[in-house]
């Protein structure tokens, strides 16, 4: 359990706002691409929106309770959300369903790129600098922490967490195991017949639990080099601890 302090609580609020925004963008992207592909299920559920309310209403445990508990226990933030879809639509249009699945991680990577652009703008303006060793909540720092205005410190924290959180969400959801987006997303490379056989196979009872367990077991080993690569794209030669 992290020690409670004013800084810890403020940082927790930033984490939660970034998590809520990022997860909402992820699910809204699923819902929008599904609607464009002919499945209005999530649209009728009010989820083609950046308003987090319908997403929280659908998954209050994964979007409120678990993120807060995970932050209190470890300083980071995890959780989940979901968007409904019509399984019969997926059977009729497996390729469209694959693009729908990939839209969520795609939104996360787009947000990470936006954060990176914001960091580079701050560096060009002489406000931000690369930290000596980046962490998951300090990807960028203000040039002079002693005299920096509170707004600049806030901006550095928001951009750092936005960059980290969205690479984390995008990468994790692309793992090709059920029920993660990557498991359906890989069918974009298959013929429709092969995709339908594969989708029927992964729907067997117990596969989702096995998939989540496998994802947690391998993700840490996969994520460190991926995030280090992302950091080196942002700051050549950067290190992650």
């Amino acid at each position: 359990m992290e020690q409670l302090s004013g800084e810890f609580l403020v940082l927790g609020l930033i984490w939660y706002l970034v998590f809520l925004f990022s997860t909402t963008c992820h699910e809204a992207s699923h819902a929008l691409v599904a609607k464009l592909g002919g499945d209005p299920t999530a649209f009728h559920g009010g989820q083609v929106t950046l308003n987090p309310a319908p997403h929280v209403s659908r998954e209050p445990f994964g979007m409120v309770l678990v993120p807060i508990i995970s932050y209190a226990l470890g300083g980071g933030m995890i959780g989940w959300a979901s968007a409904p879809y019509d399984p019969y639509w997926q059977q009729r249009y497996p390729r469209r369903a694959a693009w729908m699945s990939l839209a969520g991680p795609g939104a996360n990577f787009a947000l990470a790129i936006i954060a990176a652009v914001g960091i580079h703008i701050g560096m060009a303006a002489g406000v931000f600098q690369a930290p000596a060793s980046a962490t998951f909540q300090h990807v960028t720092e203000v040039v002079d922490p002693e005299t920096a205005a509170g707004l600049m410190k806030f901006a550095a924290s928001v951009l750092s967490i936005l960059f980290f959180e969205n690479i984390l969400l995008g990468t994790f959801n692309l793992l090709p195991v059920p029920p993660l987006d990557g498991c359906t997303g890989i069918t974009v490379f298959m013929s429709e017949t092969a995709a339908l056989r594969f989708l029927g196979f992964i729907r067997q009872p117990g596969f989702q639990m096995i998939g989540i367990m496998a994802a947690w077991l391998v993700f840490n080993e996969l994520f460190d080099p991926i995030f280090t690569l992302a950091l080196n794209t942002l700051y050549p030669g950067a290190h992650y601890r």
Side-chain angles (χ1 to χ4, degrees), residues 18-190:
V18 170
F19 168 82
L20 191 66
F21 176 66
S22 303
T23 308
T24 296
C25 288
H26 179 109
E27 298 304 330
S29 296
H30 282 318
L32 176 60
V33 173
K35 180 179 184 293
L36 294 174
D39 178 14
T41 305
F43 171 75
H44 291 314
Q47 292 187 291
V48 183
T49 179
L50 294 182
N51 177 2
H55 304 282
V56 172
S57 177
R58 180 172 170 82
E59 293 283 3
F61 191 71
M63 290 198 70
V64 180
L65 186 60
V66 170
I68 292 172
I69 291 174
S70 65
Y71 179 77
L73 293 177
M77 192 165 288
I78 59 172
W80 66 84
S82 64
Y85 69 95
D86 181 356
Y88 297 106
W89 170 78
Q90 184 184 52
Q91 291 175 6
R92 292 195 302 273
Y93 307 106
R95 191 171 296 275
R96 296 184 192 180
W99 286 115
M100 179 265 290
S101 294
L102 294 173
N108 293 129
F109 291 129
L111 289 175
I113 291 170
I114 290 170
V117 170
I119 289 169
H120 276 290
I121 290 173
M123 292 178 68
V127 175
F128 297 149
Q129 65 183 359
S133 181
T135 68
F136 60 85
Q137 58 193 29
H138 294 295
V139 170
T140 192
E141 293 179 346
V142 290
V143 170
D144 186 355
E146 299 301 322
T147 60
L151 182 60
M152 289 300 100
K153 291 182 180 180
F154 176 79
S157 295
V158 169
L159 290 172
S160 293
I161 295 170
L162 188 68
F163 183 78
F164 176 87
E165 180 80 349
N166 280 282
I167 292 175
L168 175 73
L169 288 172
T171 304
F172 183 74
N173 279 285
L174 276 184
L175 292 178
V177 295
L180 301 180
D181 297 328
C183 191
T184 303
I186 59 173
T187 62
V188 76
F189 301 109
M190 303 178 187

